[in-house]
Amino acid sequence: MTAAADASGWTPRPRPARAPGAAEPDAAGPAAAGPALVPAPVRVTSRARGTAVWERVHVVLDPALAGALPLLADLVVRRLGRRLTVADRPGCAAPAPSPGGPARPAPLPANGTASPVRPSADGTAPPAPPSADQPPPGALVVTLTHDPALAPEHHVLDVGPAGVEVRAAGADGARHAVQTLRQLVGPAAFRDAPLDASALPLPGVRVEDGPRFSHRGVLLDVARHFLPKREVLRFVELAAAHKLNVLHLHLTDDQGWRFEVRAFPRLTEVGGWRRESQLGSSRSPLFDGRPHGGWYTQDDLREIVAFARTRGVTVVPELDVPGHSQAAMAAYPELAAGTAPDEVWTRWGLNPHALAPTEAVLDFYRTVLDELVEVFDSPVVCLGGDEVPLDAWAADPAALARVGELGLEDVDELLPWFVGRLTEHLRGHGRRVSVWDEVGGARVPRDVVVNSWRGVRSGLDALRDGHDVVVCTEHRLYLDHRAAPGLDEPVPVGTVHTLEDVHAFEPVSPAAAETMAEDGAGRVLGAQAQVWTEQLDSPRRVDYATWPRLCAFAEVVWTPREMRERAGFADLERRLTGAHLARLDAAGVGYRPLEGPRPWQRRPGVPGWALRFDDLGQLVHTPTGER
């Protein structure tokens, strides 16, 4: 099969020879089994004839969809090496700017005066731009049409002999259509530079599509193991290619602080690195003896946010409090309850330290959050709240005195109180807070979003308390956990989450559906996969753990449940092996092969700690790695 056939499931006819100056012929071909798209779209209709990406691409743009133009230009110019011209759709006025909120970057020129992006071959200035109804001879015409009748993020993509038409209610829907077009082009659209200038066939197809959930997220932990900015940008690009729209960026933890705070420079000077790292699981006796560190400047993070915005991805920052904070305490010992740790933590697992529940500590974090909201435009900020060691407060006389001053019953009520105070501060910035599901009870404001990770019951409790919920279930959606039974997986930790397990996961259980129907209950906003990095110490290890399981997760949160269950895992496997893994190959993704790890992807000698559920539903260690 050709590369184009690998990418779309469609085998093109050879392009017929034509005389110089002759009109372009139709590039038609049968759509044998339909295009192999990931995630699977809602509705696909194959057409008898398609078209091709020729030397020139002319975009007719409704200004209401101008936010999709940077992504389309990146595809056409950088990846495919084609000449691009842009003209406004006749009779369309530029949309009014959105009231309030951070300013969005200006799109590429789309006012009828855009010129080809690269000069003529002889180095002279490009020709005058064409009008919208007179594209350059032989150009592929791509029309972006605003259709307010469509739901948010929904879109229609039509590919036929006359060209490509996209209809969407807004830029997000148009971006999704461009991502679908990118998959139809094939692996060439996933490379960073064109290999040649030959015509790229496009199958005749009509795709009507839109997401199941509004929150389709993936968490990337850069606190345990730092990832350079370029790798975060690459992760955003790949997530967006699978129509995910939230990057939850875990910026702080016991093992590192990655966010520059100008008011408190020691957070990165001291908290941004550790002297060594534990090798393997939290039970391992091994350490690597190598310092590890790094952090992002505020401008680095602004760049990540701005780039993500062009891809339709919102970056949700997480500063984890009042547990998982040893890096901050090592930098500023006065933050600690009781005796402060003397260094950034070098181990994994449950940490014994917590922040002191004082006004001074809250003021410290209010200042940190004031700087954070100047960098991130997300409507939601995550404050963590998970795995807080309540014993640290119970052993601290000052914390116990605080319980009495506040009229609380026990130290466990300090957790919702602490998070609630910072929630009030962020509400003053117009932001909403999310927390992990240990933070619950009547003291937690109802507008707080709960990330439900410990199982079904915690999510149901949050829904009944009126909280909106993002489903993050550990034993299906933690992608650092092992992808197969046995001990061949590199550093096998946690329970088994195979590719098929992830694809079969259902975020809305029958009990959740019943609970949401109750008066005053919250909603399931969507779901989120987690890429924790204790055992993922390099971009290659992140690739291995994430892909292609994140492809399966993307289908869970995008494709209608009935379609996904009716087609089954075999259909996803067919699309992966027949087309989509070739796209990931072209993008340079070091994914886990479906048949198991390659020799160089294994980590012999680095101990894991494999778990399974016993007959009573309890987690137990499995020395042989069975399920």
Side-chain angles (χ1 to χ4, degrees):
M1 296 179 70
T2 66
D6 282 345
S8 66
W10 171 69
T11 305
R13 295 190 309 197
R15 182 183 178 186
R18 61 186 179 94
E24 295 282 1
D26 288 340
L37 301 173
V38 177
V42 173
R43 183 175 294 106
V44 178
T45 305
S46 296
R47 299 194 180 283
R49 303 182 68 82
T51 185
V53 182
W54 309 115
E55 180 185 358
R56 294 174 179 265
V57 175
H58 180 65
V59 175
V60 181
L61 177 71
D62 190 314
L65 305 184
L69 189 55
L71 177 63
L72 182 57
D74 178 80
L75 170 63
V76 170
V77 180
R78 182 170 75 91
R79 298 182 185 278
L80 302 182
R82 310 303 153 122
R83 294 177 180 243
L84 175 67
T85 53
V86 182
D88 276 353
R89 185 177 173 86
C92 293
S98 300
R104 292 190 175 260
L108 296 179
N111 57 3
T113 61
S115 59
V117 174
R118 60 184 187 184
S120 302
D122 60 3
T124 61
S131 64
D133 57 350
Q134 292 180 332
L140 170 68
V141 177
V142 179
T143 304
L144 274 63
T145 303
H146 180 227
D147 186 347
L150 293 173
E153 296 195 78
H154 286 241
H155 55 277
V156 178
L157 171 69
D158 257 313
V159 181
V164 175
E165 182 185 14
V166 170
R167 290 194 293 112
D172 286 337
R175 290 188 190 100
H176 298 321
V178 173
Q179 295 289 7
T180 299
L181 182 65
R182 186 181 177 195
Q183 291 195 20
L184 292 174
V185 169
F190 287 78
R191 297 191 179 276
D192 284 331
L195 301 185
D196 57 52
S198 61
L200 296 166
L202 287 171
V205 69
R206 176 183 173 90
V207 179
E208 301 167 74
D209 209 2
R212 179 184 176 194
F213 292 107
S214 61
H215 186 113
R216 306 180 302 281
V218 56
L219 178 148
L220 180 62
D221 171 13
V222 294
R224 271 53 175 268
H225 279 103
F226 177 76
L227 283 175
K229 179 186 66 177
R230 67 177 180 274
E231 295 298 335
V232 179
L233 295 172
R234 173 176 174 268
F235 195 90
V236 169
E237 184 78 81
L238 288 167
H242 294 80
K243 300 184 174 70
L244 300 179
N245 67 342
V246 175
L247 174 68
H248 181 143
L249 196 59
H250 186 75
L251 287 166
T252 69
D253 215 293
D254 298 308
Q255 297 84 5
W257 183 286
R258 311 300 179 203
F259 169 61
E260 177 194 27
V261 180
R262 292 167 181 168
F264 304 118
R266 287 174 59 83
L267 285 172
T268 47
E269 292 170 0
V270 175
W273 70 280
R274 59 182 180 265
R275 61 180 173 84
E276 65 178 353
S277 304
Q278 192 171 21
L279 272 179
S281 79
S282 60
R283 298 171 181 265
S284 168
L286 305 179
F287 289 81
D288 64 8
R290 295 181 303 161
H292 177 84
W295 63 86
Y296 309 104
T297 68
Q298 292 190 10
D299 283 346
D300 288 338
L301 291 166
R302 286 189 177 95
E303 180 184 352
I304 290 169
V305 169
F307 176 78
R309 192 187 298 121
T310 69
R311 299 306 190 257
V313 173
T314 298
V315 182
V316 173
E318 180 181 357
L319 301 184
D320 207 343
V321 296
H324 285 288
S325 300
Q326 182 163 329
M329 291 181 248
Y332 293 94
E334 64 271 23
L335 298 175
T339 303
D342 58 3
E343 67 173 349
V344 176
W345 214 27
T346 60
R347 302 187 62 88
W348 317 129
L350 298 177
N351 185 282
H353 296 284
L355 296 172
T358 65
E359 283 300 323
V361 172
L362 288 168
D363 283 342
F364 181 98
Y365 274 90
R366 289 183 184 108
T367 300
V368 171
L369 292 170
D370 288 344
E371 294 196 25
L372 186 84
V373 297
E374 290 297 317
V375 174
F376 293 90
D377 61 1
S378 166
V380 175
V381 173
C382 184
L383 293 179
D386 57 312
E387 299 178 328
V388 178
L390 301 180
D391 289 347
W393 286 336
D396 179 28
L400 291 174
R402 191 68 163 154
V403 171
E405 293 167 7
L406 296 170
L408 306 178
E409 293 184 4
D410 206 342
V411 292
D412 59 352
E413 293 190 2
L414 284 172
L415 174 57
W417 172 82
F418 190 101
V419 171
R421 296 297 300 277
L422 294 180
T423 298
E424 293 171 5
H425 185 71
L426 283 167
R427 192 182 291 126
H429 284 289
R431 307 301 175 93
R432 192 178 185 186
V433 163
S434 70
V435 295
W436 297 101
D437 62 26
E438 290 95 326
V439 185
R443 293 182 179 274
V444 182
R446 286 181 57 148
D447 63 342
V448 168
V449 177
V450 173
N451 298 322
S452 173
W453 71 279
R454 292 180 300 165
V456 173
R457 180 172 298 177
S458 61
L460 296 179
D461 290 343
L463 288 170
R464 289 193 181 100
D465 288 339
H467 297 286
D468 291 339
V469 168
V470 175
V471 178
C472 307
T473 309
E474 176 184 10
H475 298 297
R476 280 294 181 268
L477 300 181
Y478 275 32
L479 300 186
D480 55 310
H481 287 200
R482 54 201 179 110
L487 298 178
D488 282 344
E489 294 300 310
V491 198
V493 297
T495 55
V496 174
H497 314 340
T498 66
L499 179 67
E500 185 172 4
D501 291 336
V502 175
H503 189 255
F505 178 72
E506 174 46 46
V508 182
S509 66
E514 291 177 9
T515 302
M516 283 192 289
E518 297 174 5
D519 290 341
R523 303 164 296 157
V524 173
L525 302 179
Q528 182 169 284
Q530 279 59 239
V531 183
W532 300 108
T533 59
E534 290 97 326
Q535 284 78 44
L536 309 180
D537 58 1
S538 70
R540 295 182 80 176
R541 289 284 292 117
V542 170
D543 274 4
Y544 178 91
T546 305
W547 306 102
R549 287 187 292 178
L550 198 62
C551 302
F553 171 77
E555 195 147 295
V556 168
V557 290
W558 179 273
T559 305
R561 176 181 181 176
E562 298 77 14
M563 276 189 58
R564 172 170 55 91
E565 292 179 345
R566 183 171 62 251
F569 174 69
D571 183 65
L572 173 65
E573 193 171 34
R574 174 189 66 80
R575 285 175 281 129
L576 288 173
T577 57
H580 199 65
L581 294 182
R583 299 172 189 139
L584 296 182
D585 285 330
V589 178
Y591 57 85
R592 180 191 186 276
L594 271 59
E595 61 273 15
R598 296 183 171 96
W600 59 88
Q601 292 175 320
R602 295 186 170 95
R603 296 290 299 275
V606 182
W609 190 256
L611 299 173
R612 66 176 180 85
F613 288 100
D614 66 14
D615 293 340
L616 299 177
Q618 301 297 312
L619 275 177
V620 296
H621 175 51
T622 167
T624 60
E626 72 269 18
R627 291 196 72 132

